[in-house]
DNA sequence: AGCGTAGGCCAACACCTGTTGACTCCGCCA
DNA sequence: TGGCGGAGTCAACAGGTGTTGGCCTACGCT
């Protein structure tokens, strides 16, 4: 936010092409199988240009995996609607931008990519959970992440047939209640008693 | 189940050592970063032995990724208890056997590994869902998989701090209601109305 | 018009990968 | 005791990887 004072350079087009190709390859192949040579070929330039502009593969990935979830604020929204909006927004974001796919595919085997996912989680999802419940928002955000990332994993990466076949609206309808439970529901402490999902958004003690 | 008529061979120990080392490496590094040389070194043998006994890397992985979830039948169990048992059993299974970690780490970038996960899903999880609800059991099983794999992803792979910090009992207490919703809950069809998670195991129309 | 410099390409490096084939060694059976 | 087959080792292959440095070219300023 402070160093984009540089004037537009002649190579900006190439830089962008590299970044676009990198995101595509990282998304399709993961970190190790996405080679600099393949990325350079996609961008129609020489592999050495990638090195010149991004230093090394790790920094190229860091640049390609910059991501903003653009989550809505959701302050004052009813939890039911909030969780629906959240799931729907996430699916849209996933399908419209391959950065998330790149992050997941790479994050499973590359520590830096995993760290980036933790950063995005902490900086972008936790605040939303905080706005919806003052009680253990990090845990709530983590549970939401588990459901939402698991959904993306099964639908877009592992491609489990029944999940792939679902309409997006059905996916939202099924998973939103679970997300709502995580965002605003309560839990009987050590769970010996039969659990239940409270019928309304009962806050926790 | 039909061709283990072979007598015990002198090399069985080595074969087992290779398989153990392979599981470890695939679990820790994923498919591409787990090299045959590293696996052989762990097993204290020459890389060519791996080839002799398993043909190639792909078949080695197939052998190492054989897995049985050993899910309990859960027939006639109350849905609340069933989902708790399911989540608890899965966490235990995950922590006690690195095969699942290998499958997830590899399945994200390797098509054969992803296919193996789909097989395990269809052969081992769907039947359980079928026993708990006759209504769209594949979809229900898929949703359960999304929650359960997402949990494993966040807790064991991405290591999101709030999820890692939770006690296992708390994980079960939080996620079991969502799993129960997937296994026996209903969904208002296109979800314009506010959703709710039914308080009891109301079957679907 | 001349020139500095940034953009771009080429060829090579050192290393690592899966995989192969020839070789040695040991234990078992005739 | 001889030999036969399986267990295991060694060295090499062909190809692919990230990365480097030198070279050429052409734009844009003066």
């Amino acid at each position: 936010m402070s160093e984009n004072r540089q004037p537009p350079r002649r190579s900006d087009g190439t830089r962008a092409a590299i970044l676009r190709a990198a995101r595509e390859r990282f998304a399709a192949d993961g970190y190790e199988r996405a080679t600099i040579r393949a990325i350079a070929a996609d961008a129609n330039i020489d592999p050495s240009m990638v090195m010149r502009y991004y230093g090394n593969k790790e920094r190229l990935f860091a640049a390609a995996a910059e991501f903003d979830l653009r989550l809505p604020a959701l302050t004052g929204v009813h939890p039911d609607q909030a969780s629906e909006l959240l799931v729907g927004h996430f699916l849209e974001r996933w399908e419209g931008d391959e950065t998330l796919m790149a992050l997941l595919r790479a994050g499973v085997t590359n520590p830096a990519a995993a760290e980036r996912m933790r950063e995005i989680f902490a900086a972008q999802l936790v605040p939303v959970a905080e706005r919806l419940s003052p009680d253990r928002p990090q845990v709530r955000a983590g549970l939401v992440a588990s459901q939402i990332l698991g959904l993306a994993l099964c639908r877009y990466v592992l491609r489990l047939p029944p999940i792939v076949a679902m309409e997006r609206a059905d996916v939202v309808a099924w998973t939103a209640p679970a997300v709502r439970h995580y965002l605003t529901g309560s839990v009987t402490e050590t769970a010996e008693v039969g659990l239940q999902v409270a019928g309304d958004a009962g806050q926790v003690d």
Side-chain angles (χ1 to χ4, degrees), chain A:
Chain A
M1 303 237 176
S2 69
E3 78 279 24
N4 33 356
R5 287 281 149 274
Q6 293 120 352
R9 302 197 225 178
R10 194 152 40 109
S11 62
D12 282 351
T14 305
R15 294 181 122 91
I18 293 174
L19 228 49
R20 194 173 341 118
R23 264 188 282 261
E24 265 179 47
R25 284 286 176 175
F26 282 129
D29 300 337
Y31 187 83
E32 16 275 332
R33 285 185 42 209
T35 70
I36 299 229
R37 282 171 161 89
I39 292 168
D42 287 0
N44 283 316
I45 45 108
D46 189 89
S48 64
M49 297 303 295
V50 179
M51 308 304 295
R52 186 191 279 273
Y53 291 140
Y54 293 96
N56 59 31
K57 190 178 182 180
E58 200 170 324
R59 273 184 290 187
L60 170 64
F61 178 82
E66 210 113 20
F67 189 70
D68 184 355
L69 269 169
R70 295 190 209 144
L71 291 178
L74 297 178
T75 36
V77 183
H78 186 279
D80 288 347
Q81 250 193 2
S83 51
E84 268 186 60
L85 287 173
L86 219 56
V87 177
H89 178 89
F90 178 79
L91 291 180
E92 206 164 315
R93 211 73 190 76
W94 189 286
E95 286 170 12
D97 189 333
E98 22 197 17
T99 313
L100 274 173
M101 182 73 120
L103 271 164
L104 180 53
R105 276 239 164 83
V108 166
T109 49
N110 184 274
E115 172 61 22
R116 173 63 57 92
M117 293 209 74
R118 287 191 291 268
E119 287 168 16
I120 293 175
F121 163 79
Q124 303 184 35
L125 188 55
V126 169
V128 173
E130 271 168 350
R131 260 180 246 115
L132 291 169
S133 163
D135 173 58
R136 288 170 288 179
Q138 290 100 343
V139 169
R140 293 178 183 277
L143 291 162
V144 171
S146 81
Q147 174 57 89
I148 268 177
L149 288 177
L151 189 64
L153 178 72
C154 292
R155 189 172 166 92
Y156 304 111
V157 178
L158 300 179
R159 306 195 70 79
L160 295 192
I163 299 293
V164 172
M166 284 174 93
E167 300 282 339
R168 190 197 290 195
D170 290 334
V171 174
V172 173
W174 271 106
T175 55
V179 171
R180 183 202 137 285
H181 165 235
Y182 293 144
L183 284 174
T184 59
S186 65
V187 159
T188 56
E189 279 309 331
T190 337
E192 180 72 29
V193 208
L195 305 189
Q196 88 248 359
V197 181
D200 58 350
Q203 212 70 335
V204 142
D205 52 336

